[in-house]
Amino acid sequence: MNKSITQDIQNEKQVSESIKRFFHRFHVSSALKQSNAYKKKGIPVIEVFQYLFLLIFSNRSMYMSLVTGKNTPSFAKDTVYRFMKMVQINWIRFTTILAARIIKNAIVPLDSEERVNVLTIDDSMFERCHSKKVELLAKVYDHAKHAYKFGFRMLTLGWTDGSTFIPVNSVLLSSENRKSRINDAASVDKRSAGYKRRQLSMEKGTTAMLELLKAAKNAGIPAKYVLFDSWFSSPSTLHAVKALDYDVIGMVKKTPKMFFRYNNEDMPLTSIYKKNKKKRGRSKYLLSVMIEVVKDGGVIPAKVVYVRNRNKKKDYLCLISTDISLNEEEIIRIYGKRWDTEVFFKVCKSYLNLSKECNALSYDALTAHTAVVFTRYMMLSLESREANDQRSMGEILLYFTDEMSDITWIQAFQMLLEMFRTILADNTELSEEKIDELVDAFMNTLPIVLKSRLQAAQVKNLNN
């Protein structure tokens, strides 16, 4: 018994040291200050933020910490609530600054110059099904479960080099349709960050996406491509992202309502498919054509790759790239990096208590909670990278050790084939089994102490 208690104390010290090292190395305190988070009096904001960050690793909620008297902070719970409700803190700026520091200082130096770094855009349900008084709560359609639920769409911008995924920023989208919103926004100072994020939450997803991309661009996060699924791949979005000096690789819906210019004629991708001769046999792709994306007089040349379903001849997926210099295999391979986002969402929900840890009704508090969860994942992702990349242990090894492997073409292609299993009328996603497999692979790369703490938190959530 005494040995197990001693071991538990040692584990707590190890976790605490890892977190302190992370906070000091990437100057989390200064990132908070640059995001307008500062104390007016009393407790420094970094202490409150670090306390919230540690909750998941202590395997206790704030309430249980206060009840048991273990791991209690030196400040009252009202201090935490006031911090999370601060309207002046720009949480998009905070996570973007922190992500930029990690990417530029800890990851990019370990990659070769030929490596393709990308930004990914995706959304996931942020459920608040058991409360109807949450600010800006909306009735949102969950495309994974095909049902309407109360909550938000957590639109997330992430960065990946094919080996390590870092969340950059996000916005909890309510609904641009007033009828779909259960509650309105609270009245706050129109000059504050809180007012701006409320306004952004009521914009369309494509509009919010551009704001997140602009924040990443301003922070100097290195990336050449933006990857997204068919929900964002409209001609207007392709033009808007291209205007930010990014190329796009995305999936496109096979809809008769979306037109592209082919041989000087505007037509949907399905018609273009019918007009061309397909590759026979077990070719790597079905068809590749050059098109033009036309919007308001602007024209962008693009390449569309049709990927076949080998089990069903009439089934295919459409990938579009605004970088026409890429060959078909490279387009498929780079697009395969998008699935790192699926691992991120699953880990946040299953292990990091996304949406479950915070029961606040304030939109500011929910945004702050999301930023805390993102920061936790950043640390875990970096720990995973450095636990497996020997070159992170010293400058000399940088020159004598191979870099972490990038996603291969065959892995990306297998992911596309996996999508045919779960293809839907308007949406395509990986199966739950495949996502679980990817999450398990990520968890197995973490140091054993962090892994055991997170697994204990997951078991507790399942029991509740």
Side-chain angles (χ1 to χ4, degrees), residues 100-240:
R101 290 177 182 175
I102 294 170
I103 292 164
K104 291 191 282 189
N105 298 335
I107 300 177
V108 170
L110 302 178
D111 289 336
S112 67
E113 292 182 1
E114 292 76 28
R115 189 112 169 189
V116 176
N117 300 321
V118 302
L119 292 168
T120 68
I121 285 283
D122 207 349
D123 61 354
S124 184
M125 271 296 301
F126 185 102
E127 293 185 29
R128 287 303 300 267
C129 293
H130 301 294
S131 177
K132 292 185 179 180
K133 295 184 179 180
V134 177
E135 184 183 357
L136 285 170
L137 185 72
K139 196 175 183 181
V140 182
Y141 186 72
D142 187 346
H143 295 282
K145 298 180 180 177
H146 309 291
Y148 280 96
K149 294 185 177 181
F150 291 127
F152 304 88
R153 285 172 58 206
M154 188 178 76
L155 183 67
T156 300
L157 177 69
W159 177 94
T160 179
D161 63 348
S163 178
T164 303
F165 180 86
I166 300 292
V168 176
N169 50 39
S170 74
V171 59
L172 295 176
L173 292 176
S174 178
S175 175
E176 68 272 17
N177 185 356
R178 175 63 189 87
K179 294 180 180 179
S180 297
R181 293 199 300 271
I182 308 302
N183 298 311
D184 286 325
S187 178
V188 297
D189 190 337
K190 291 185 178 181
R191 299 168 295 178
S192 67
Y195 177 81
K196 293 175 183 177
R197 62 172 155 260
R198 284 169 171 80
Q199 293 302 113
L200 188 61
S201 74
M202 293 181 280
E203 295 283 355
K204 291 183 178 180
T206 49
T207 303
M209 176 195 73
L210 295 174
E211 292 301 314
L212 300 183
L213 281 172
K214 288 174 184 176
K217 189 78 175 179
N218 292 336
I221 293 177
K224 186 176 182 181
Y225 301 100
V226 178
L227 314 180
F228 40 66
D229 63 14
S230 57
W231 292 105
F232 303 96
S233 296
S234 66
S236 58
T237 303
L238 295 176
H239 273 266

Side-chain angles (χ1 to χ4, degrees), residues 183-429:
N183 298 311
D184 286 325
S187 178
V188 297
D189 190 337
K190 291 185 178 181
R191 299 168 295 178
S192 67
Y195 177 81
K196 293 175 183 177
R197 62 172 155 260
R198 284 169 171 80
Q199 293 302 113
L200 188 61
S201 74
M202 293 181 280
E203 295 283 355
K204 291 183 178 180
T206 49
T207 303
M209 176 195 73
L210 295 174
E211 292 301 314
L212 300 183
L213 281 172
K214 288 174 184 176
K217 189 78 175 179
N218 292 336
I221 293 177
K224 186 176 182 181
Y225 301 100
V226 178
L227 314 180
F228 40 66
D229 63 14
S230 57
W231 292 105
F232 303 96
S233 296
S234 66
S236 58
T237 303
L238 295 176
H239 273 266
V241 175
K242 188 71 175 177
L244 294 175
D245 202 26
Y246 292 113
D247 275 305
V248 172
I249 299 178
M251 190 167 289
V252 191
K253 291 180 182 179
K254 297 179 294 183
T255 171
K257 298 179 180 180
M258 191 183 299
F259 295 88
F260 298 92
R261 187 164 295 170
Y262 178 69
N263 290 339
N264 295 319
E265 185 180 350
D266 293 335
M267 60 181 73
L269 293 180
T270 49
S271 298
I272 296 173
Y273 177 79
K274 292 176 182 178
K275 283 181 174 289
N276 285 275
K277 185 178 180 181
K278 289 73 176 178
K279 288 180 174 287
R280 293 186 175 183
R282 299 181 66 82
S283 62
K284 295 175 179 177
Y285 59 92
L286 195 59
L287 176 66
S288 176
V289 295
M290 295 296 300
I291 63 162
E292 291 179 333
V293 183
V294 182
K295 183 67 177 178
D296 297 331
V299 179
I300 297 174
K303 182 183 288 187
V304 176
V305 180
Y306 294 80
V307 182
R308 73 164 78 239
N309 181 354
R310 290 177 175 172
N311 299 318
K312 191 176 180 181
K313 290 183 178 181
K314 293 184 179 180
D315 231 355
Y316 59 89
L317 300 172
C318 305
L319 296 181
I320 191 169
S321 171
T322 57
D323 184 355
I324 59 176
S325 66
L326 292 176
N327 61 41
E328 291 76 14
E329 290 187 24
E330 190 68 357
I331 291 172
I332 293 171
R333 189 189 73 82
I334 294 174
Y335 184 76
K337 297 186 180 190
R338 193 183 75 81
W339 285 295
D340 286 343
T341 314
E342 301 293 347
V343 177
F344 164 72
F345 286 142
K346 186 76 172 183
V347 170
C348 285
K349 291 179 180 181
S350 298
Y351 294 94
L352 301 183
N353 281 355
L354 179 68
S355 79
K356 298 175 184 176
E357 188 177 69
C358 179
N359 294 318
L361 305 181
S362 164
Y363 185 77
D364 295 308
L366 295 177
T367 305
H369 162 69
T370 305
V372 171
V373 172
F374 274 39
T375 309
R376 290 170 181 166
Y377 191 90
M378 289 182 200
M379 190 198 80
L380 292 178
S381 190
L382 188 64
E383 288 282 340
S384 170
R385 175 65 176 244
E386 297 190 337
N388 293 276
D389 193 341
Q390 294 179 334
R391 296 163 314 131
S392 63
M393 299 177 185
E395 189 174 352
I396 295 176
L397 286 173
L398 178 66
Y399 300 101
F400 296 99
T401 311
D402 293 334
E403 67 173 310
M404 295 285 284
S405 62
D406 199 346
I407 186 172
T408 64
W409 176 84
I410 191 64
Q411 289 171 326
F413 190 67
Q414 286 172 346
M415 292 288 193
L416 286 175
L417 295 181
E418 168 71 20
M419 292 179 69
F420 283 116
R421 287 181 48 201
T422 54
I423 196 165
L424 306 171
D426 295 315
N427 190 34
T428 52
E429 291 187 3

